[in-house]
Amino acid sequence: MDKATVGFAPWDAAAAATMIAEMQDLPGACLPILHRLQGEFGYIHDEAVPLIAGALALSLAEVVGVIEFYSDFRRTPPAVHQVQVCLAESCQAVGSAALAERLTEVLGTEIGGRSADGRFDLRPVYCLGNCACSPALMIDGLLYGRVTPDRAPQLLAEVWP
Amino acid sequence: MSAWIPGDSGACSVGADDVARAIAAEAEARGLPADFHRNGSRGLYWLEPMVEVDTAGGRVAYGPVTPADVPGLFDAAFLEGGAHPLRLGLVADIPEFARQDRVTFRRSGLIEPLSIDQYRAEGGFAGLEAALAMTPAAIIEAVTASGLRGRGGAGFPAGLKWQTVLDQPAGPKYIVCNADEGDSGTFADRMLMEGDPFSILEGMTIAGLATGAAEGYLYIRSEYPAAALAMADAIQLLQDAGYLGRSVMGSGRAFDVQVRIGAGAYICGEETALLESLEGKKGVIRPRPPLPAVQGLFGRPTVVNNTLTLATVPAILAGGADAYAAHGVGRSRGTSVMQLAGNVKRPGLFEVPFGVTLDELVNGCGGGTASGRPLRAVQVGGPLGAYFPASMLDTPIDYEAVSERGGMLGHGGVVVFDDTVDMARQARFAMEFCAIESCGKCTPCRIGSTRGVEVIDRIIANEERTMNFALLDDLLEVMRDGSLCGLGGLTPLPVSSALRHFPEDFARTARHEGVTP
Ligand SMILES: Cc1cc2nc3c(=O)[nH]c(=O)nc-3n(C[C@H](O)[C@H](O)[C@H](O)COP(=O)(O)O)c2cc1C
Ligand code: SF4
Ligand code: FES
């Protein structure tokens, strides 16, 4: 995974319709389509909902229901950088609380919020599968391990554009 | 001269990529010709980044290596196995590796994960070749005889599940590999997907041959982007080489696999929620019956197995059911892939025969706590597993033994806590996790978990303790007996085990202020 791949295209209904058309015949296409749209545009634009519903013969409510059920899917544009801090047991056992607190201080937001400068979303995650290198953190899809609270500002500085 | 530097995302999370770059640059600067390979991880994470070199006597390891160590390693001629403070000796002789019995993980860390040649050279496809010469009934008989049980949590006999699918009328059937690995403290599926992806696909293919399924789905959680990339590449390579597709190894029998990515819902690890998710819906539990083996994906008979269950099958068919069943104890046959994490000196993956005790794992392999403080509790089996006190470390790792002691083995995660842990907080977290991840289908889980958090908060705050303890007991009973699936039904395990074994932590708030009760 490359750090340089961060950044999304502006919403484009025609491009979205093309992607949906390409994928609508996949069995159980809804999640793959949502992942593709979010990967492209960063979030699921409201205008995408009727496009998906039409292509998959679902109701608008069904599509919205799926988007809202899964914590990965967003209906509003994300910050440029996604910071996911693990708050599950293995990381708890070696100080994820202190790490999380440090992150909230540095970014000036609560867990689940956006940094004061609007560039970072700070999200909780319950296990990154890096428990043997706890405490763990993921920034823009890249995994970090043995992250002491003091290392957190430096890691964020690395992705600061 | 060749060196092996793990490309495993856990190893890279502590600098393996930086080490690989430093080694390549240093070799070039010194004009040394060398082959550099990126392998998976051996699972000895306290030694990661662990670099291995080929020597006449076998693979020699150095670790944990930082980029700053690299010039010194070259000065010490590490590429030829030279002496250096970081030299660990032969991998096979590292004590925590030597005491393992690697079956499912025998190739992880040994080979380049996407090399078909290296996979074959280390026994890959021998199981598939054997299966292609067998009848479906004979394949299932071998899996049954091996005693292999589901590694995803429930420990259901794999052969029995496959037999049910085989017995269904012909027509589309599916093999679903559950790589959702939501349990905290576990990472074996991730390691295997990144370190030996072909073994999973080989296992799925054998399951297809055994049950008459021609299509497979691999459902991977979205938190594992590197694993998803590795699996997609592995599928492409096997398709191109004729191991997957219309005619598996020229047999005329079809099997193919697609990857699907989850979207951040723990509940989608439960097999019926996973099937709903694969169908493009909300991950809400299906009532059963019908069993997925009868009516699963798109209403068709479906095998849902954990990644490790499937990946173990090729070794069983290649080496014989008896050889596998020779490991283990009682009704827990074969090897157990244990994942040790939390506050432990040597965290990692240890594949050991069933029957080894928690003490041998936590203290023998793991070396006790990382902090050096006394060990107070271990949580066995993920977020829905019980907390055991240090006095119960004599428990053998075996499905039945763990459940007799009020716990469950789950996917094999063990998380260690030292004496600074506050077990009332851990119990509260278990309830909170259930509330966050509940699919919302049934009230005991959806409402019960939220109430549970509130009640534990009141106990911690010393409010109306007698009444709140009684309320908590009732809640636990309702959740245990009235929930539709294991999320609501098993959340009482960590909570009640914390209450039972660590009552002092619920006794008063003073503990948090450092006052002894
Ligand atoms: C709440 C919940 C979460 C689960 N999560 C997983 C998981 O992440 N991975 C998994 O393989 N099984 C998980 N399971 C177990 C599956 O429902 C199912 O038993 C398993 O995939 C069957 O495969 P196996 O027989 O090979 O273990 C979960 C069960 C429950 C109740
Ligand atoms: S126990 Fe919880 S997760 Fe399971 S079906 Fe009920 S509400 Fe859904
Ligand atoms: S518990 Fe934090 S990475 Fe697994």
Side-chain angles (χ1 to χ4, degrees), chain B residues 207-231:
Chain B
L209 295 172
T211 57
E215 277 184 75
Y217 285 86
L218 181 62
Y219 188 93
I220 306 175
R221 68 199 296 251
S222 62
E223 291 83 353
Y224 287 180
L229 282 178
M231 289 309 313

Side-chain angles (χ1 to χ4, degrees), chain A residues 27-28 30-31 35 65-66 69-73 88-90 92-94 126-132 138 141 143-146, chain B residues 10 13 45 48 184-185 187 190 217 221-223 260-264 277 280-281 283 298 341-342 347 379 416 426 429 436:
Chain A
C30 195
L31 263 75
H35 275 305
V66 172
F69 181 84
Y70 294 97
S71 61
D72 279 0
F73 296 130
E89 287 88 342
S90 172
Q92 290 168 7
V94 286
Y126 298 95
C127 194
L128 289 164
N130 201 26
C131 328
M138 192 173 254
L143 192 56
Y144 297 87
R146 301 178 198 147
Chain B
S13 84
Y45 277 100
E48 293 288 6
S184 51
F187 43 88
R190 179 189 61 69
Y217 285 86
R221 68 199 296 251
S222 62
E223 291 83 353
R260 289 298 164 86
I261 309 297
S277 186
K281 303 174 195 155
F298 308 116
Q379 186 177 29
V416 179
Q426 297 308 120
F429 175 75
I436 293 169

